[in-house]
Amino acid sequence: MSYEEDVEGALITKQRLKAALHYAVGKKCEEIGKKLNVEFSKQVIFALTECTFKQSELIASDLEAFARHAKRSTINSDDVKLLVRRNKNVADSIKELSDKLTKSHSHQRLKSKRLKKDAESTDSITMES
């Protein structure tokens, strides 16, 4: 694949992402508009979409830099926590979510180990018979 094809593919992907975001922002504005009995102009929806997209690009870039600084190729929850450290409300929410996911993941691993152990013991009983 040539450089031009890569650039074109990235541009198409970016346009699709923006279109999907624009749709989501529009739907959210509709939802909020109904609750508050207001209408959002197309220009406002466009501006919100552009701001959200630009902010998402900055966030992605920062997360990538944090992971790279830690000599990792994968962004993890520590990078996200570092990103939101200055916004206490968001940082608290992220920490709570991270703790919940970690606890759930640990529970799943224990459950998986028990099932595997039970299966091994069942296999050994069957072989002895």
Side-chain angles (χ1 to χ4, degrees):
M1 186 178 273
S2 72
Y3 174 76
E4 289 83 17
E5 290 172 330
D6 284 345
V7 170
E8 186 178 326
L11 183 61
I12 290 169
T13 299
K14 186 175 182 176
Q15 288 172 338
R16 285 182 179 167
L17 283 171
K18 268 191 177 181
L21 181 61
H22 185 75
Y23 177 79
V25 168
K27 285 296 183 185
K28 195 64 178 174
C29 286
E30 271 183 33
E31 180 185 321
I32 292 169
K34 284 180 184 175
K35 285 182 185 176
L36 301 177
N37 199 26
V38 296
E39 273 189 47
F40 292 88
S41 70
K42 290 180 180 182
Q43 293 84 1
V44 169
I45 293 170
F46 177 78
L48 286 171
T49 300
E50 286 299 310
C51 289
T52 303
F53 194 81
K54 292 252 187 259
Q55 187 65 30
S56 297
E57 287 180 318
L58 290 171
I59 288 170
S61 177
D62 287 347
L63 290 171
E64 187 179 4
F66 295 153
R68 192 173 32 249
H69 179 75
K71 297 183 178 26
R72 287 183 276 104
S73 60
T74 303
I75 295 168
N76 65 26
S77 61
D78 291 335
D79 302 318
V80 176
K81 290 175 190 173
L82 185 60
L83 179 76
V84 300
R85 70 191 179 279
R86 291 188 181 146
N87 187 330
K88 183 162 175 29
N89 290 335
V90 175
D92 290 346
S93 295
I94 293 292
K95 182 170 179 359
E96 182 181 320
L97 179 62
S98 176
D99 292 345
K100 193 183 295 185
L101 289 172
T102 301
K103 190 175 185 177
S104 173
H105 184 68
S106 296
H107 178 72
Q108 289 289 64
R109 285 183 27 208
L110 282 173
K111 192 175 179 182
S112 177
K113 282 183 181 179
R114 282 190 207 125
L115 288 173
K116 188 175 180 181
K117 187 176 179 180
D118 289 348
E120 288 173 356
S121 64
T122 304
D123 289 346
S124 65
I125 292 171
T126 306
M127 289 180 179
E128 291 174 4
S129 299

